[in-house]
Coordinates of all heavy atoms in Angstrom, one line a residue:
M208 N 78.6 128.7 93.9 CA 79.7 128.4 93.0 C 79.1 128.4 91.5 O 78.0 128.0 91.3 CB 80.3 127.0 93.3 CG 81.7 126.9 93.2 SD 82.4 125.3 93.4 CE 82.3 125.1 95.2
R209 N 79.9 128.9 90.6 CA 79.5 128.9 89.2 C 79.5 127.5 88.6 O 80.3 126.7 89.1 CB 80.3 129.9 88.4 CG 80.2 131.3 88.9 CD 81.0 132.3 88.1 NE 82.4 131.7 87.9 CZ 83.3 132.3 87.1 NH1 83.0 133.3 86.4 NH2 84.5 131.7 86.9
P210 N 78.7 127.3 87.6 CA 78.7 125.9 87.0 C 80.1 125.3 86.6 O 80.3 124.2 86.9 CB 77.8 126.1 85.8 CG 76.8 127.2 86.2 CD 77.7 128.1 87.0
P211 N 81.0 126.1 86.0 CA 82.3 125.5 85.7 C 83.0 125.0 86.9 O 83.7 124.0 86.9 CB 83.0 126.6 85.0 CG 82.0 127.5 84.4 CD 80.9 127.4 85.4
A212 N 82.9 125.8 88.0 CA 83.6 125.4 89.3 C 82.9 124.2 89.9 O 83.6 123.3 90.4 CB 83.6 126.6 90.3
I213 N 81.6 124.1 89.7 CA 80.9 122.9 90.2 C 81.4 121.7 89.5 O 81.6 120.6 90.1 CB 79.4 123.1 90.1 CG1 78.9 124.2 91.1 CG2 78.6 121.8 90.4 CD1 77.5 124.6 90.9
E214 N 81.5 121.8 88.2 CA 82.0 120.6 87.4 C 83.4 120.2 87.8 O 83.7 119.0 87.8 CB 82.0 121.0 85.9 CG 80.7 121.2 85.2 CD 80.7 121.7 83.8 OE1 81.8 121.6 83.2 OE2 79.7 122.1 83.3
R215 N 84.2 121.1 88.2 CA 85.6 120.8 88.6 C 85.6 120.4 90.1 O 86.7 120.2 90.6 CB 86.5 122.0 88.4 CG 86.7 122.3 86.9 CD 87.5 123.6 86.8 NE 88.8 123.3 87.3 CZ 89.9 123.9 86.8 NH1 89.8 124.7 85.8 NH2 91.0 123.6 87.3
M216 N 84.5 120.5 90.8 CA 84.4 120.3 92.2 C 85.3 121.2 93.0 O 85.9 120.9 94.0 CB 84.7 118.8 92.6 CG 83.8 117.8 92.0 SD 84.2 116.1 92.3 CE 83.9 115.9 94.0
G217 N 85.4 122.5 92.5 CA 86.1 123.5 93.1 C 87.6 123.3 93.0 O 88.4 123.9 93.8
Y218 N 88.1 122.5 92.1 CA 89.5 122.1 91.9 C 90.3 123.2 91.1 O 90.0 123.4 90.0 CB 89.6 120.8 91.3 CG 91.1 120.4 91.0 CD1 92.0 120.2 92.0 CD2 91.5 120.1 89.7 CE1 93.3 119.8 91.7 CE2 92.8 119.7 89.4 CZ 93.7 119.6 90.4 OH 95.0 119.2 90.1
Y219 N 91.2 123.8 91.8 CA 92.1 124.8 91.2 C 93.5 124.5 91.7 O 93.9 124.8 92.8 CB 91.7 126.2 91.5 CG 90.4 126.6 90.9 CD1 89.2 126.4 91.7 CD2 90.3 127.0 89.6 CE1 88.0 126.7 91.1 CE2 89.0 127.3 89.1 CZ 87.9 127.2 89.8 OH 86.7 127.5 89.3
P220 N 94.3 123.7 90.9 CA 95.6 123.3 91.4 C 96.6 124.5 91.7 O 96.5 125.6 91.1 CB 96.2 122.5 90.2 CG 95.4 122.9 89.0 CD 94.1 123.4 89.5
T221 N 97.4 124.3 92.7 CA 98.4 125.3 93.1 C 99.6 125.3 92.1 O 100.2 124.2 91.9 CB 98.9 125.1 94.5 OG1 97.7 125.0 95.4 CG2 99.8 126.2 95.0
D222 N 99.9 126.4 91.5 CA 101.0 126.5 90.6 C 102.4 126.3 91.3 O 102.5 126.6 92.5 CB 101.1 127.8 89.9 CG 99.8 128.0 89.0 OD1 99.3 127.0 88.5 OD2 99.4 129.2 88.8
E223 N 103.3 125.7 90.6 CA 104.7 125.5 91.2 C 105.3 126.7 91.8 O 105.9 126.7 92.9 CB 105.6 124.8 90.2 CG 106.9 124.2 90.8 CD 106.6 123.2 91.9 OE1 105.7 122.4 91.8 OE2 107.4 123.2 92.9
P224 N 105.2 127.9 91.1 CA 105.8 129.1 91.7 C 105.2 129.4 93.1 O 105.9 129.9 94.0 CB 105.6 130.2 90.7 CG 105.4 129.5 89.4 CD 104.8 128.2 89.7
V225 N 103.9 129.2 93.2 CA 103.2 129.5 94.5 C 103.7 128.5 95.5 O 103.9 128.8 96.7 CB 101.7 129.4 94.3 CG1 101.0 129.6 95.6 CG2 101.3 130.5 93.3
V226 N 103.9 127.2 95.1 CA 104.4 126.2 96.1 C 105.8 126.6 96.6 O 106.1 126.5 97.8 CB 104.4 124.8 95.4 CG1 105.1 123.8 96.3 CG2 103.0 124.3 95.0
E227 N 106.6 127.1 95.7 CA 107.9 127.6 96.1 C 107.9 128.8 97.1 O 108.6 128.8 98.0 CB 108.8 127.9 94.9 CG 109.3 126.7 94.1 CD 110.1 125.8 95.0 OE1 111.0 126.2 95.8 OE2 109.8 124.6 95.0
I228 N 106.9 129.7 96.9 CA 106.7 130.8 97.8 C 106.3 130.3 99.2 O 106.8 130.7 100.2 CB 105.7 131.8 97.2 CG1 106.3 132.5 96.0 CG2 105.3 132.8 98.3 CD1 105.4 133.3 95.2
I229 N 105.4 129.3 99.2 CA 104.9 128.7 100.4 C 106.0 128.1 101.2 O 106.2 128.2 102.4 CB 103.7 127.7 100.2 CG1 102.5 128.4 99.6 CG2 103.4 126.9 101.4 CD1 101.4 127.5 99.1
R230 N 106.9 127.4 100.4 CA 108.0 126.7 101.0 C 109.0 127.6 101.7 O 109.5 127.3 102.8 CB 108.8 125.9 99.9 CG 109.9 125.0 100.5 CD 110.8 124.4 99.5 NE 111.5 125.4 98.6 CZ 112.5 126.2 99.1 NH1 112.9 126.1 100.3 NH2 113.0 127.0 98.3
T231 N 109.1 128.9 101.2 CA 110.0 129.8 101.9 C 109.5 130.3 103.2 O 110.3 130.8 104.0 CB 110.2 131.1 101.0 OG1 109.0 131.8 100.8 CG2 110.8 130.7 99.6
Y232 N 108.2 130.1 103.5 CA 107.6 130.5 104.8 C 107.7 129.3 105.8 O 107.3 129.5 107.0 CB 106.2 130.9 104.6 CG 106.1 132.3 104.0 CD1 105.9 132.4 102.6 CD2 106.1 133.4 104.8 CE1 105.8 133.7 102.1 CE2 106.0 134.7 104.2 CZ 105.9 134.8 102.9 OH 105.8 136.1 102.3
L233 N 108.1 128.1 105.4 CA 108.1 127.0 106.3 C 109.5 126.6 106.6 O 110.4 126.6 105.8 CB 107.3 125.8 105.6 CG 105.9 126.1 105.2 CD1 105.3 125.0 104.4 CD2 105.0 126.4 106.4
K234 N 109.7 126.1 107.8 CA 111.0 125.6 108.3 C 110.9 124.1 108.4 O 110.0 123.6 109.1 CB 111.3 126.3 109.7 CG 112.6 125.9 110.2 CD 112.8 126.5 111.6 CE 114.1 126.0 112.2 NZ 114.3 126.5 113.6
P235 N 111.9 123.4 107.9 CA 111.8 121.9 108.0 C 112.0 121.5 109.5 O 112.7 122.2 110.2 CB 113.1 121.5 107.2 CG 113.4 122.6 106.4 CD 113.0 123.9 107.1
P236 N 111.2 120.5 109.9 CA 111.4 120.0 111.3 C 112.7 119.4 111.5 O 113.4 118.9 110.6 CB 110.2 119.0 111.4 CG 110.0 118.6 110.0 CD 110.3 119.7 109.1
S237 N 113.1 119.3 112.8 CA 114.4 118.7 113.1 C 114.4 117.2 112.8 O 115.4 116.6 112.5 CB 114.8 119.0 114.5 OG 113.8 118.5 115.4
E238 N 113.2 116.6 113.0 CA 113.0 115.2 112.7 C 112.0 115.1 111.6 O 111.4 116.1 111.2 CB 112.4 114.4 113.9 CG 113.4 114.4 115.1 CD 112.8 113.7 116.3 OE1 111.7 113.1 116.2 OE2 113.3 113.9 117.4
R239 N 111.8 113.9 111.0 CA 110.8 113.8 109.9 C 109.5 114.2 110.4 O 109.0 113.8 111.5 CB 110.8 112.4 109.4 CG 109.9 112.2 108.2 CD 110.2 110.9 107.5 NE 109.3 110.5 106.5 CZ 109.3 111.0 105.3 NH1 110.3 111.8 104.9 NH2 108.4 110.6 104.4
G240 N 108.8 115.1 109.7 CA 107.5 115.6 110.1 C 106.4 115.1 109.3 O 106.5 114.2 108.5
R241 N 105.2 115.7 109.5 CA 104.0 115.3 108.7 C 103.4 116.6 108.1 O 103.3 117.6 108.8 CB 103.0 114.6 109.6 CG 103.4 113.3 110.1 CD 102.3 112.6 110.9 NE 102.8 111.3 111.4 CZ 102.8 111.1 112.7 NH1 102.4 111.9 113.6 NH2 103.3 109.9 113.1
L242 N 102.9 116.4 106.9 CA 102.3 117.5 106.2 C 100.9 117.1 105.8 O 100.8 116.0 105.1 CB 103.1 118.0 105.0 CG 102.6 119.2 104.2 CD1 103.8 120.0 103.8 CD2 101.8 118.7 103.0
F243 N 99.9 117.8 106.1 CA 98.5 117.5 105.8 C 97.9 118.5 104.9 O 98.0 119.7 105.1 CB 97.6 117.4 107.1 CG 96.2 117.1 106.8 CD1 95.8 115.9 106.3 CD2 95.2 118.1 107.0 CE1 94.4 115.7 106.0 CE2 93.9 117.9 106.7 CZ 93.5 116.7 106.2
D244 N 97.3 118.0 103.8 CA 96.7 118.9 102.8 C 95.2 118.5 102.7 O 94.8 117.5 102.3 CB 97.3 118.7 101.4 CG 96.8 119.7 100.4 OD1 95.8 120.4 100.6 OD2 97.4 119.8 99.3
P245 N 94.3 119.4 103.3 CA 92.9 119.1 103.3 C 92.2 119.2 102.0 O 91.1 118.7 101.8 CB 92.3 120.1 104.3 CG 93.3 121.3 104.2 CD 94.6 120.7 103.9
C246 N 92.9 119.7 101.0 CA 92.3 119.8 99.6 C 93.4 119.4 98.7 O 94.0 120.2 97.9 CB 91.9 121.3 99.3 SG 90.7 121.9 100.4
A247 N 93.8 118.1 98.7 CA 95.0 117.6 98.1 C 95.0 117.6 96.5 O 96.0 117.6 95.9 CB 95.2 116.1 98.5
G248 N 93.8 117.6 95.9 CA 93.8 117.6 94.4 C 94.5 116.3 94.0 O 94.3 115.2 94.4
E249 N 95.5 116.5 93.1 CA 96.3 115.4 92.5 C 97.5 115.2 93.4 O 98.3 114.3 93.0 CB 96.6 115.7 91.1 CG 95.4 115.7 90.2 CD 95.7 116.0 88.7 OE1 96.9 116.3 88.4 OE2 94.8 115.9 87.9
G250 N 97.7 115.9 94.4 CA 98.8 115.7 95.4 C 100.1 116.3 95.0 O 101.1 116.1 95.7
K251 N 100.2 117.0 93.9 CA 101.5 117.6 93.4 C 102.1 118.6 94.4 O 103.3 118.5 94.7 CB 101.4 118.2 92.1 CG 101.0 117.1 91.0 CD 100.8 117.8 89.6 CE 100.4 116.8 88.6 NZ 100.1 117.4 87.3
A252 N 101.3 119.5 94.9 CA 101.8 120.6 95.7 C 102.3 120.0 97.1 O 103.4 120.3 97.6 CB 100.7 121.6 96.0
A253 N 101.4 119.1 97.7 CA 101.8 118.5 99.0 C 103.0 117.7 98.8 O 103.9 117.6 99.7 CB 100.6 117.7 99.5
S254 N 103.1 116.9 97.7 CA 104.3 116.1 97.5 C 105.6 116.9 97.4 O 106.6 116.6 98.0 CB 104.1 115.2 96.2 OG 105.2 114.5 96.0
S255 N 105.5 118.0 96.6 CA 106.6 118.9 96.4 C 107.1 119.5 97.8 O 108.3 119.5 98.1 CB 106.3 120.0 95.5 OG 107.4 120.8 95.3
L256 N 106.1 120.0 98.6 CA 106.4 120.5 99.9 C 107.0 119.4 100.8 O 107.9 119.7 101.6 CB 105.2 121.2 100.5 CG 104.8 122.6 99.9 CD1 103.5 123.0 100.4 CD2 105.9 123.6 100.1
G257 N 106.3 118.3 100.8 CA 106.8 117.2 101.7 C 108.2 116.8 101.4 O 109.0 116.6 102.3
N258 N 108.6 116.7 100.1 CA 109.9 116.3 99.8 C 110.9 117.4 100.2 O 112.0 117.1 100.7 CB 110.1 116.1 98.3 CG 109.4 114.8 97.8 OD1 109.3 113.9 98.6 ND2 109.0 114.8 96.6
A259 N 110.6 118.7 100.0 CA 111.5 119.8 100.3 C 111.6 119.9 101.8 O 112.7 120.3 102.3 CB 110.9 121.1 99.8
L260 N 110.6 119.6 102.6 CA 110.6 119.8 104.1 C 110.9 118.5 104.9 O 110.7 118.5 106.1 CB 109.3 120.4 104.5 CG 109.0 121.8 103.9 CD1 107.6 122.2 104.2 CD2 110.0 122.8 104.4
N261 N 111.1 117.4 104.2 CA 111.4 116.1 104.8 C 110.1 115.7 105.7 O 110.3 115.4 106.8 CB 112.6 116.1 105.7 CG 113.0 114.7 106.2 OD1 112.7 113.7 105.5 ND2 113.6 114.7 107.4
C262 N 109.0 115.7 105.0 CA 107.7 115.4 105.7 C 107.0 114.2 105.0 O 107.0 114.1 103.8 CB 106.8 116.6 105.7 SG 107.4 117.9 106.8
E263 N 106.3 113.4 105.8 CA 105.4 112.4 105.3 C 104.1 113.2 105.0 O 103.7 114.1 105.7 CB 105.1 111.4 106.5 CG 104.1 110.4 106.1 CD 103.8 109.5 107.3 OE1 104.3 109.7 108.4 OE2 103.0 108.6 107.1
T264 N 103.5 112.9 103.8 CA 102.4 113.7 103.3 C 101.1 112.9 103.5 O 101.0 111.7 103.3 CB 102.5 114.1 101.9 OG1 102.8 112.9 101.1 CG2 103.7 115.1 101.7
W265 N 100.1 113.6 103.9 CA 98.7 113.1 104.1 C 97.8 114.1 103.4 O 98.0 115.3 103.3 CB 98.3 113.1 105.5 CG 99.2 112.1 106.3 CD1 100.5 112.2 106.7 CD2 98.7 110.9 106.9 NE1 100.9 111.2 107.4 CE2 99.8 110.4 107.6 CE3 97.5 110.3 107.0 CZ2 99.7 109.2 108.3 CZ3 97.4 109.1 107.7 CH2 98.5 108.6 108.4
G266 N 96.7 113.6 102.8 CA 95.8 114.5 102.2 C 94.4 113.9 102.0 O 94.1 112.7 102.2
V267 N 93.4 114.8 101.7 CA 92.0 114.5 101.5 C 91.6 115.1 100.2 O 92.0 116.2 99.9 CB 91.1 115.1 102.7 CG1 89.7 114.9 102.4 CG2 91.5 114.5 104.0
E268 N 90.9 114.3 99.4 CA 90.4 114.8 98.1 C 89.0 114.2 97.9 O 88.8 113.0 98.1 CB 91.3 114.5 97.0 CG 90.8 114.8 95.6 CD 90.5 116.3 95.5 OE1 91.2 117.2 96.0 OE2 89.4 116.5 94.8
L269 N 88.0 115.1 97.5 CA 86.7 114.6 97.2 C 86.5 113.8 95.9 O 85.7 112.9 95.9 CB 85.7 115.8 97.2 CG 85.6 116.6 98.5 CD1 84.7 117.9 98.2 CD2 85.0 115.8 99.5
S270 N 87.3 114.2 94.9 CA 87.1 113.5 93.6 C 87.9 112.2 93.7 O 89.1 112.1 93.9 CB 87.8 114.4 92.5 OG 88.0 113.6 91.3
P271 N 87.2 111.1 93.4 CA 87.9 109.7 93.4 C 89.0 109.7 92.4 O 90.1 109.1 92.7 CB 86.8 108.8 93.1 CG 85.5 109.5 93.4 CD 85.8 110.9 93.2
E272 N 88.9 110.3 91.3 CA 89.9 110.2 90.3 C 91.2 111.0 90.7 O 92.3 110.4 90.7 CB 89.4 110.8 89.0 CG 90.4 110.8 87.8 CD 89.9 111.4 86.6 OE1 88.7 111.3 86.3 OE2 90.7 112.1 85.9
R273 N 91.0 112.2 91.2 CA 92.1 112.9 91.7 C 92.7 112.3 93.0 O 93.9 112.4 93.2 CB 91.7 114.4 92.0 CG 91.5 115.2 90.7 CD 91.4 116.7 90.9 NE 90.3 117.0 91.7 CZ 89.1 117.4 91.2 NH1 88.9 117.5 89.9 NH2 88.1 117.7 92.0
A274 N 91.9 111.7 93.8 CA 92.4 111.1 95.0 C 93.3 109.9 94.7 O 94.3 109.7 95.3 CB 91.2 110.6 95.9
G275 N 92.9 109.2 93.6 CA 93.8 108.1 93.2 C 95.1 108.6 92.7 O 96.2 108.0 93.0
K276 N 95.1 109.7 92.0 CA 96.4 110.3 91.5 C 97.2 110.8 92.7 O 98.4 110.6 92.7 CB 96.1 111.4 90.5 CG 95.6 111.0 89.2 CD 95.3 112.2 88.3 CE 94.7 111.7 87.0 NZ 94.4 112.8 86.1
A277 N 96.5 111.4 93.7 CA 97.2 111.9 94.8 C 97.9 110.8 95.6 O 99.0 110.9 96.1 CB 96.3 112.7 95.7
Q278 N 97.2 109.7 95.7 CA 97.7 108.5 96.5 C 99.0 108.0 95.8 O 99.9 107.7 96.6 CB 96.6 107.4 96.5 CG 97.0 106.2 97.4 CD 95.9 105.2 97.5 OE1 94.9 105.3 96.7 NE2 96.0 104.3 98.4
N279 N 99.0 108.0 94.5 CA 100.3 107.6 93.8 C 101.4 108.6 94.0 O 102.6 108.2 94.1 CB 100.0 107.3 92.4 CG 99.1 106.1 92.2 OD1 99.1 105.2 92.9 ND2 98.3 106.2 91.1
V280 N 101.1 109.9 94.0 CA 102.1 110.9 94.1 C 102.6 111.1 95.5 O 103.8 111.3 95.8 CB 101.5 112.2 93.5 CG1 102.5 113.4 93.7 CG2 101.2 112.1 92.0
M281 N 101.7 111.1 96.5 CA 102.0 111.4 97.8 C 102.5 110.2 98.6 O 103.2 110.2 99.5 CB 100.8 112.0 98.6 CG 100.4 113.3 98.0 SD 98.8 113.9 98.7 CE 99.2 114.4 100.3

């Protein structure tokens, strides 16, 4: 990994237009489902998908600062 990526801990947030494209490929479950994001970042993408698909969101993030933000969002 290049030094700038190392400083960011490999964090590259998913843009909202990409989240919307991903959403078009997913079908909401008949009952409330679960969505897991193994690279949650600040939780914005998972939260957006979870709300659109009626899912409880779960995630993992290496950065304590971003994990705290994700916990509040998700």
Side-chain angles (χ1 to χ4, degrees):
M208 221 185 283
R209 296 183 313 171
I213 292 170
E214 288 176 18
R215 296 174 63 144
M216 297 176 71
Y218 174 62
Y219 295 94
T221 305
D222 295 330
E223 190 60 35
V225 175
V226 173
E227 285 304 310
I228 291 169
I229 293 169
R230 189 189 57 72
T231 65
Y232 285 93
L233 303 174
K234 180 181 174 185
S237 57
E238 298 178 12
R239 184 162 172 87
R241 292 188 183 116
L242 184 139
F243 175 69
D244 187 348
C246 303
E249 295 179 353
K251 293 177 184 175
S254 177
S255 178
L256 285 172
N258 288 335
L260 299 170
N261 188 31
C262 291
E263 178 182 3
T264 55
W265 296 67
V267 174
E268 175 54 43
L269 295 175
S270 164
E272 181 180 324
R273 286 192 297 266
K276 290 180 181 178
Q278 185 175 13
N279 291 331
V280 173
M281 295 171 71

